[in-house]
Amino acid sequence: MMARRRVATLGGLAVAIVVLGGCGNLGLPTPVTQQGRNTRQLWHIFVVLAIIIGAIVYGLIIFVVVRYRRRRGDNAEPPGQRQYNVPVEIVYTAIPLVIVGVLLGLSIRAENRLTKVSAKPDVTVEVEGFQWQWQFSYEGTNKVVTGTPSSVPVMVLPTGQTVELKLVSNDVVHSFWVPHFLEKRDLTPGVNNTIDVRITDEGQWDGVCSEFCGLNHGQMVFSVKAVSPSDFQSWLNGGSS
Ligand SMILES: [Cu+2]
């Protein structure tokens, strides 16, 4: 009875963690891109599965410890031992293999969705990281935003459009990271890394270089500002954002 109650308590705790964990994001920043939503979905599956498996494992441990604890009158003989139990061994090998296989498949699917780039993006921005700032050049226009130690560069982007970000570096490895995009990609000299983002909400979010790139790495901060496509066009044409 007691063991059952404990299992119920653990189950309740697991549900509480799911409900309270970061208001539906389970600890992640709220994704603001379509691509980031895939990452959140994968994270949800991992966390919920981990909680369920944890509850089962701890529940069984507690059940066994309580149910089969030594009682008065038990003799001191150890319980019967057996060297093999083939059915049990097959089950406890197969179940983890299935779980890992499913998670691997879901991870590959999420990664493919995240890394997919459109052949016809609406906007293309070359994002150059250099020691120690960022430069955003809007392809097909002469708009260039360059950060300085005293002014944080702002990358203005339209919502609801496919934006291609070409991530380049000519000195050392940097890494483009906007936590609310729920993805991170390196800028590696000699490598053309490209990601697509389709921003769903208007707003402004911080980004940083997340690869230690030298003395003033900590100054490599920037900001992404998402505005409506018409505001974006007027900003591109020289208006303020
Ligand atoms: Cu850097």
Side-chain angles (χ1 to χ4, degrees):
M1 200 57 207
M2 197 170 158
R4 210 173 294 168
R5 212 176 302 154
R6 286 197 189 182
V7 172
T9 309
L10 275 174
L13 198 66
V15 171
I17 291 170
V18 172
V19 173
L20 299 173
C23 301
N25 290 318
L26 302 178
L28 285 186
T30 307
V32 295
T33 63
Q34 225 145 54
Q35 287 79 0
R37 289 179 182 190
N38 290 315
T39 312
R40 177 174 65 180
Q41 191 189 38
L42 183 69
W43 171 243
H44 277 175
I45 295 169
F46 267 74
V47 172
V48 170
L49 208 62
I51 290 170
I52 292 169
I53 293 169
I56 292 171
V57 170
Y58 283 105
L60 286 173
I61 291 172
I62 290 166
F63 169 75
V64 169
V65 166
V66 172
R67 174 75 178 75
Y68 297 103
R69 70 189 184 280
R70 192 172 172 196
R71 293 192 173 81
R72 209 171 297 166
D74 282 354
N75 60 31
E77 292 292 313
Q81 302 284 325
R82 61 164 88 188
Q83 206 167 357
Y84 305 105
N85 188 331
V86 176
V88 170
E89 285 165 20
I90 290 174
V91 167
Y92 74 55
T93 305
I95 291 176
L97 281 178
V98 170
I99 293 171
V100 171
V102 168
L103 291 178
L104 178 69
L106 291 170
S107 301
I108 291 171
R109 189 183 66 163
E111 194 178 287
N112 287 342
R113 285 177 177 172
L114 197 67
T115 54
K116 199 171 154 208
V117 286
S118 165
K120 281 188 194 154
D122 300 304
V123 178
T124 301
V125 184
E126 187 187 88
V127 176
E128 187 185 344
F130 59 92
Q131 287 171 313
W132 289 278
Q133 260 306 329
W134 299 90
Q135 179 165 286
F136 310 125
S137 311
Y138 292 74
E139 242 172 49
T141 75
N142 49 17
K143 194 85 177 175
V144 177
V145 178
T146 310
T148 67
S150 56
S151 79
V152 173
V154 179
M155 176 160 48
V156 177
L157 295 177
T159 56
Q161 294 195 340
T162 300
V163 177
E164 183 178 273
L165 301 176
K166 290 182 171 173
L167 307 172
V168 296
S169 166
N170 289 316
D171 46 31
V172 297
V173 178
H174 302 275
S175 188
F176 177 87
W177 184 36
V178 179
H180 281 277
F181 285 1
L182 300 191
E183 69 178 302
K184 196 190 262 190
R185 190 66 70 85
D186 278 3
L187 288 67
T188 309
V191 175
N192 294 322
N193 274 341
T194 300
I195 58 170
D196 273 7
V197 290
R198 199 177 174 92
I199 299 176
T200 49
D201 310 283
E202 288 187 22
Q204 190 157 356
W205 311 279
D206 293 332
V208 292
C209 173
S210 73
E211 184 74 61
F212 182 67
C213 58
L215 191 63
N216 294 326
H217 160 71
Q219 288 179 2
M220 279 188 72
V221 293
F222 63 98
S223 178
V224 172
K225 184 176 182 181
V227 298
S228 68
S230 57
D231 285 355
F232 174 70
Q233 279 308 325
S234 61
W235 173 81
L236 261 191
N237 297 334
S240 63
S241 54

